[in-house]
Amino acid sequence: MSVENRKIDFYSFSFQEYKNKESIDFWDEKKFDLILKYIESLPMIERLVKDEKSKKSYYLSDIVHSDTSIRCLKFKSCKFGHCPPIMDSDTANERPTDKRMNEGEQENTHLAIRLDDYEGFVALESRKSGISMGTIVRYFNAMMKAYFSKNPKKGNPDYSLSLFYSVVPIKNFDKALEDMTKLKIADIYIDKNFIGSELSNIVPDDDPFIKNDLILTLKSERGENILVRTVKRLYSSLANTSGGISRIRIHGTNTSGAKQILDSDLIRKTQNIEAKLNANGLISTESIFSKLIDILRTS
């Protein structure tokens, strides 16, 4: 069976909740599963979104619960409103197409989501002919709006929930840092064996279920940013094994205004995978899901 390279992009999912005239950013894996369950309950016609502006139709076709924390999703889409003649690749002969204006070639877009405590961590198959992360998030927000219109929050009629994403770039850390205009939060992962005696008295050594890494979160003052030189010092400290810092994650905004996360762990990882092709020359869903799951389990 033939194989093909696929570029993988990484993102982080969070929710924004609006209730009692206030908005709160947070993550809740149960709410995400609730929306997936709602979409699964819909007939195919109600899952479908038709975008007349982009001339694309798309829907969430498959949801696979790989294990307790990973969900594999497949979106199907098509580009309509375009019916050129068919050309033979060997002879250049042409014939009229039998495709109608409301039809298009089906394209698949695969992604896997790991439901962590503080975010949904996403590995997305990047394809120009598929659908983008922005389109996927708009799709989920449309489904959540439909869900809460049918199931309004008791005692809070103005309640709304929306999904948003942050980009997790895989490239040179310093270059990615230069592309960021706002640095708001720095999560520093520290081996608990390196913490001071005051804090070690609080964290019990005999609890086998506490992770080895503790997370120290630095936040900027309202309206201000963490200094770039501070972030560079934190990143350079990763090479000093005696300091106990194993990983850093920087939350901010890039020059395009999109939310972005720099993750020192992911910068070391590949962004391309090989997936098997089926008899029609299309990526095997089973093959690419297996690759995405492996990436998320080791990230």
Side-chain angles (χ1 to χ4, degrees):
M1 184 178 286
S2 299
V3 298
E4 185 171 301
N5 281 321
R6 277 287 192 262
K7 183 175 179 290
I8 304 302
D9 292 331
F10 296 92
Y11 301 88
S12 171
F13 276 174
S14 292
F15 286 119
Q16 187 170 72
E17 186 178 57
Y18 182 80
K19 61 180 181 179
N20 300 325
K21 300 182 179 180
E22 289 187 5
S23 62
I24 302 169
D25 293 350
F26 72 106
W27 173 250
D28 185 337
E29 63 271 22
K30 291 181 180 178
K31 277 189 167 60
F32 189 78
D33 270 341
L34 177 68
I35 299 305
L36 290 183
K37 187 176 180 180
Y38 168 69
I39 295 172
E40 279 186 304
S41 72
L42 298 175
M44 214 60 72
I45 188 65
E46 292 184 34
R47 294 191 195 186
L48 185 70
V49 171
K50 187 174 184 179
D51 186 342
E52 292 287 354
K53 185 176 180 180
S54 67
K55 298 297 182 183
K56 268 197 172 184
S57 286
Y58 48 89
Y59 70 101
L60 179 55
S61 64
D62 298 89
I63 303 171
V64 178
H65 294 242
S66 169
D67 55 30
T68 56
S69 65
I70 296 178
R71 309 288 179 264
C72 295
L73 312 181
K74 179 167 78 172
F75 281 86
K76 292 184 178 180
S77 62
C78 74
K79 184 87 172 176
F80 61 88
H82 185 60
C83 296
I86 303 297
M87 188 180 88
D88 190 298
S89 62
D90 294 320
T91 65
N93 291 336
E94 296 182 13
R95 63 175 173 83
T97 181
D98 59 355
K99 190 178 77 169
R100 297 192 294 267
M101 289 294 285
N102 67 323
E103 295 177 329
E105 292 184 344
Q106 179 192 294
E107 300 287 351
N108 296 329
T109 303
H110 302 88
L111 65 149
I113 305 166
R114 190 182 66 219
L115 307 182
D116 293 341
D117 292 337
Y118 301 105
E119 67 181 346
F121 187 73
V122 184
L124 171 70
E125 174 193 17
S126 177
R127 301 190 64 218
K128 288 183 179 179
S129 57
I131 59 174
S132 67
M133 178 53 71
T135 299
I136 290 168
V137 168
R138 285 194 295 275
Y139 180 87
F140 278 121
N141 284 332
M143 293 297 146
M144 285 191 287
K145 184 177 180 181
Y147 173 82
F148 284 109
S149 68
K150 297 176 183 176
N151 305 276
K153 201 85 168 177
K154 291 182 179 179
N156 196 355
D158 64 344
Y159 178 87
S160 67
L161 185 70
S162 59
L163 186 72
F164 66 89
Y165 71 94
S166 299
V167 179
V168 183
I170 309 295
K171 57 184 176 182
N172 178 276
F173 188 90
D174 288 337
K175 176 63 173 68
L177 188 60
E178 289 174 7
D179 291 340
M180 296 183 74
T181 57
K182 295 180 181 179
L183 305 173
K184 294 299 183 183
I185 300 174
D187 292 327
I188 308 169
Y189 292 68
I190 305 173
D191 190 313
K192 66 182 181 182
N193 294 318
F194 286 84
I195 60 178
S197 58
E198 294 84 359
L199 188 55
S200 63
N201 291 332
I202 299 173
V203 181
D205 292 330
D206 59 349
D207 190 336
F209 302 111
I210 293 179
K211 290 184 177 181
N212 192 54
D213 278 343
L214 302 179
I215 303 175
L216 173 64
T217 299
L218 307 179
K219 294 184 178 181
S220 64
E221 295 283 356
R222 183 182 292 273
E224 302 295 336
N225 294 304
I226 297 172
L227 296 176
V228 171
R229 66 172 179 267
T230 300
V231 175
K232 287 185 175 180
R233 286 173 186 167
L234 290 171
Y235 186 64
S236 64
S237 68
L238 289 170
N240 180 11
T241 56
S242 63
I245 298 178
S246 61
R247 178 184 184 185
I248 62 171
R249 284 167 62 86
I250 309 300
H251 303 247
T253 305
N254 64 20
T255 52
S256 300
K259 292 180 184 292
Q260 183 164 291
I261 294 176
L262 297 186
D263 189 315
S264 63
D265 264 15
L266 283 173
I267 284 172
R268 304 189 189 110
K269 295 185 181 296
T270 180
Q271 60 176 336
N272 290 288
I273 62 172
E274 280 190 348
K276 295 178 181 178
L277 301 178
N278 61 27
N280 294 326
L282 303 176
I283 286 288
S284 161
T285 291
E286 182 180 352
S287 173
I288 195 168
F289 277 170
S290 175
K291 297 288 187 178
L292 294 177
I293 290 167
D294 286 344
I295 288 175
L296 293 185
R297 283 178 176 165
T298 57
S299 297

